Protein backbone atom coordinates (compact mmCIF):
# COMPACT_ATOMS: atom_id res chain seq x y z
CA UNK A 1 0.00 0.00 0.00
CA UNK A 2 1.32 3.42 -0.84
CA UNK A 3 1.29 6.25 1.64
CA UNK A 4 -1.93 8.08 2.40
CA UNK A 5 -1.66 11.86 2.48
CA UNK A 6 -4.31 14.18 3.89
CA UNK A 7 -5.58 17.21 2.00
CA UNK A 8 -4.33 19.37 4.90
CA UNK A 9 -0.79 18.12 4.21
CA UNK A 10 -1.11 18.83 0.49
CA UNK A 11 -2.28 22.36 1.32
CA UNK A 12 1.02 23.03 3.11
CA UNK A 13 2.91 22.48 -0.15
CA UNK A 14 1.39 25.42 -1.96
CA UNK A 15 4.43 27.37 -3.08
CA UNK A 16 6.40 27.58 -6.32
CA UNK A 17 9.39 25.89 -4.67
CA UNK A 18 7.29 23.36 -2.76
CA UNK A 19 4.49 22.47 -5.11
CA UNK A 20 2.13 19.55 -4.55
CA UNK A 21 -1.25 18.90 -6.09
CA UNK A 22 -4.00 16.29 -6.19
CA UNK A 23 -5.16 14.76 -9.47
CA UNK A 24 -7.72 11.94 -9.40
CA UNK A 25 -7.18 11.38 -5.67
CA UNK A 26 -3.44 10.92 -6.10
CA UNK A 27 -0.87 13.33 -4.70
CA UNK A 28 1.96 14.63 -6.86
CA UNK A 29 5.05 16.66 -6.00
CA UNK A 30 5.69 18.60 -9.19
CA UNK A 31 8.20 21.08 -7.75
CA UNK A 32 10.92 19.83 -10.10
CA UNK A 33 8.55 19.65 -13.07
CA UNK A 34 7.44 23.26 -12.64
CA UNK A 35 9.94 24.80 -15.06
CA UNK A 36 9.56 21.97 -17.58
CA UNK A 37 5.78 22.18 -17.86
CA UNK A 38 4.80 22.95 -21.48
CA UNK A 39 1.81 24.86 -20.14
CA UNK A 40 4.08 27.10 -18.07
CA UNK A 41 5.07 27.27 -14.40
CA UNK A 42 2.24 29.67 -13.54
CA UNK A 43 -0.47 27.16 -14.50
CA UNK A 44 0.98 24.80 -11.87
CA UNK A 45 1.61 27.48 -9.25
CA UNK A 46 -2.05 28.57 -9.57
CA UNK A 47 -3.25 25.18 -8.36
CA UNK A 48 -0.44 24.52 -5.86
CA UNK A 49 -1.58 22.77 -2.70
CA UNK A 50 -5.03 21.85 -3.92
CA UNK A 51 -7.10 19.45 -6.00
CA UNK A 52 -6.24 20.19 -9.64
CA UNK A 53 -8.21 17.32 -11.21
CA UNK A 54 -10.66 19.60 -12.98
CA UNK A 55 -7.95 22.03 -14.14
CA UNK A 56 -5.85 19.14 -15.44
CA UNK A 57 -8.77 17.54 -17.27
CA UNK A 58 -10.10 20.83 -18.69
CA UNK A 59 -6.85 21.30 -20.64
CA UNK A 60 -7.30 17.90 -22.30
CA UNK A 61 -3.80 16.71 -21.46
CA UNK A 62 -2.38 13.95 -23.64
CA UNK A 63 -1.78 10.34 -22.60
CA UNK A 64 1.93 11.27 -22.41
CA UNK A 65 1.11 14.01 -19.90
CA UNK A 66 -0.77 11.45 -17.80
CA UNK A 67 2.14 9.07 -18.07
CA UNK A 68 4.51 11.81 -16.81
CA UNK A 69 2.46 12.11 -13.63
CA UNK A 70 3.73 8.73 -12.40
CA UNK A 71 7.20 10.17 -11.97
CA UNK A 72 5.91 12.72 -9.45
CA UNK A 73 3.56 10.48 -7.47
CA UNK A 74 4.10 10.72 -3.70
CA UNK A 75 1.01 8.94 -2.33
CA UNK A 76 -2.74 8.49 -2.37
CA UNK A 77 -5.10 11.07 -0.99
CA UNK A 78 -6.37 9.99 2.45
CA UNK A 79 -9.62 8.05 2.18
CA UNK A 80 -11.30 10.52 4.56
CA UNK A 81 -10.58 13.38 2.13
CA UNK A 82 -11.96 11.64 -0.93
CA UNK A 83 -15.33 13.02 -1.91
CA UNK A 84 -17.67 10.09 -2.26
CA UNK A 85 -20.35 10.05 -4.88
CA UNK A 86 -23.75 9.81 -3.23
CA UNK A 87 -25.07 6.25 -3.43
CA UNK A 88 -28.32 5.95 -5.39
CA UNK A 89 -29.63 3.29 -2.95
CA UNK A 90 -31.67 5.84 -1.01
CA UNK A 91 -33.21 7.26 -4.18
CA UNK A 92 -34.09 3.81 -5.49
CA UNK A 93 -35.69 2.94 -2.14
CA UNK A 94 -37.76 6.13 -2.20
CA UNK A 95 -38.86 5.47 -5.80
CA UNK A 96 -40.02 1.94 -4.91
CA UNK A 97 -41.88 3.27 -1.85
CA UNK A 98 -43.59 5.95 -3.97
CA UNK A 99 -44.66 3.42 -6.63
CA UNK A 100 -45.97 1.00 -3.97
CA UNK A 101 -47.93 3.81 -2.34
CA UNK A 102 -49.38 4.81 -5.73
CA UNK A 103 -50.47 1.25 -6.49
CA UNK A 104 -52.04 0.91 -3.04
CA UNK A 105 -53.98 4.13 -3.46
CA UNK A 106 -55.27 3.12 -6.92
CA UNK A 107 -56.24 -0.33 -5.58
CA UNK A 108 -58.09 1.15 -2.61
CA UNK A 109 -59.92 3.71 -4.73
CA UNK A 110 -60.98 0.97 -7.15
CA UNK A 111 -62.21 -1.24 -4.32
CA UNK A 112 -64.05 1.68 -2.85
CA UNK A 113 -65.72 2.39 -6.20
CA UNK A 114 -66.71 -1.28 -6.60
CA UNK A 115 -68.04 -1.45 -3.02
CA UNK A 116 -70.10 1.67 -3.47
CA UNK A 117 -71.78 0.46 -6.68
CA UNK A 118 -75.55 0.42 -6.15
CA UNK A 119 -76.02 -3.04 -7.86
C1 LIG B 1 1.22 18.24 -12.66
C2 LIG B 1 0.68 17.64 -13.63
C3 LIG B 1 0.81 18.10 -15.06
C4 LIG B 1 1.55 17.52 -16.03
C5 LIG B 1 2.44 16.29 -15.92
C6 LIG B 1 1.35 18.31 -17.23
C7 LIG B 1 1.94 18.05 -18.44
C8 LIG B 1 1.69 18.73 -19.60
C9 LIG B 1 2.18 18.37 -20.89
C10 LIG B 1 3.07 17.17 -21.19
C11 LIG B 1 1.72 19.28 -21.77
C12 LIG B 1 1.96 19.30 -23.29
C13 LIG B 1 0.68 18.91 -24.02
C14 LIG B 1 0.22 17.52 -23.69
O1 LIG B 1 1.00 16.58 -23.82
O2 LIG B 1 -0.94 17.38 -23.27
C15 LIG B 1 0.95 20.24 -21.02
C16 LIG B 1 0.31 21.32 -21.56
C17 LIG B 1 -0.47 22.21 -20.87
N1 LIG B 1 -0.76 22.15 -19.53
FE1 LIG B 1 -0.13 20.76 -18.26
N2 LIG B 1 0.49 19.34 -16.95
C18 LIG B 1 0.15 19.25 -15.63
C19 LIG B 1 -0.71 20.07 -14.94
C20 LIG B 1 -1.38 21.14 -15.47
C21 LIG B 1 -2.33 21.95 -14.79
C22 LIG B 1 -2.79 21.73 -13.35
C23 LIG B 1 -2.74 22.92 -15.67
C24 LIG B 1 -3.72 24.03 -15.50
C25 LIG B 1 -4.06 24.57 -14.41
C26 LIG B 1 -2.04 22.71 -16.90
C27 LIG B 1 -2.15 23.48 -18.03
C28 LIG B 1 -1.59 23.21 -19.25
C29 LIG B 1 -1.81 23.99 -20.45
C30 LIG B 1 -2.66 25.25 -20.54
C31 LIG B 1 -1.12 23.35 -21.46
C32 LIG B 1 -1.12 23.73 -22.92
C33 LIG B 1 0.11 24.48 -23.31
C34 LIG B 1 0.07 24.80 -24.79
O3 LIG B 1 -0.32 23.93 -25.59
O4 LIG B 1 0.44 25.91 -25.12
N3 LIG B 1 -1.22 21.61 -16.76
N4 LIG B 1 0.93 19.88 -19.69
Amino acid sequence: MSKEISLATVQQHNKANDLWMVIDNKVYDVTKFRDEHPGGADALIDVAGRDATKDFNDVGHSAEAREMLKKYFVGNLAASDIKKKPTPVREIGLAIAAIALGITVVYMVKRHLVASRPY
Side-chain angles (χ1 to χ4, degrees), residues 11-73:
Q11 281 161 358
Q12 287 167 7
H13 303 270
N14 60 356
K15 291 169 285 292
N17 60 356
D18 181 12
L19 206 170
W20 291 18
M21 65 183 64
V22 177
I23 298 173
D24 290 333
N25 299 322
K26 291 189 174 70
V27 181
Y28 300 97
D29 177 354
V30 289
T31 313
K32 292 194 176 76
F33 176 65
R34 192 191 62 208
D35 295 325
E36 297 164 24
H37 181 221
D42 285 345
L44 301 188
I45 295 166
D46 278 352
V47 298
R50 64 174 180 86
D51 192 320
T53 308
K54 195 179 176 302
D55 308 80
F56 184 83
N57 289 336
D58 283 353
V59 174
H61 281 94
S62 64
E64 285 77 29
R66 258 175 205 283
E67 195 61 29
M68 288 168 81
L69 281 175
K70 289 182 186 163
K71 216 172 127 185
Y72 305 102
F73 177 78

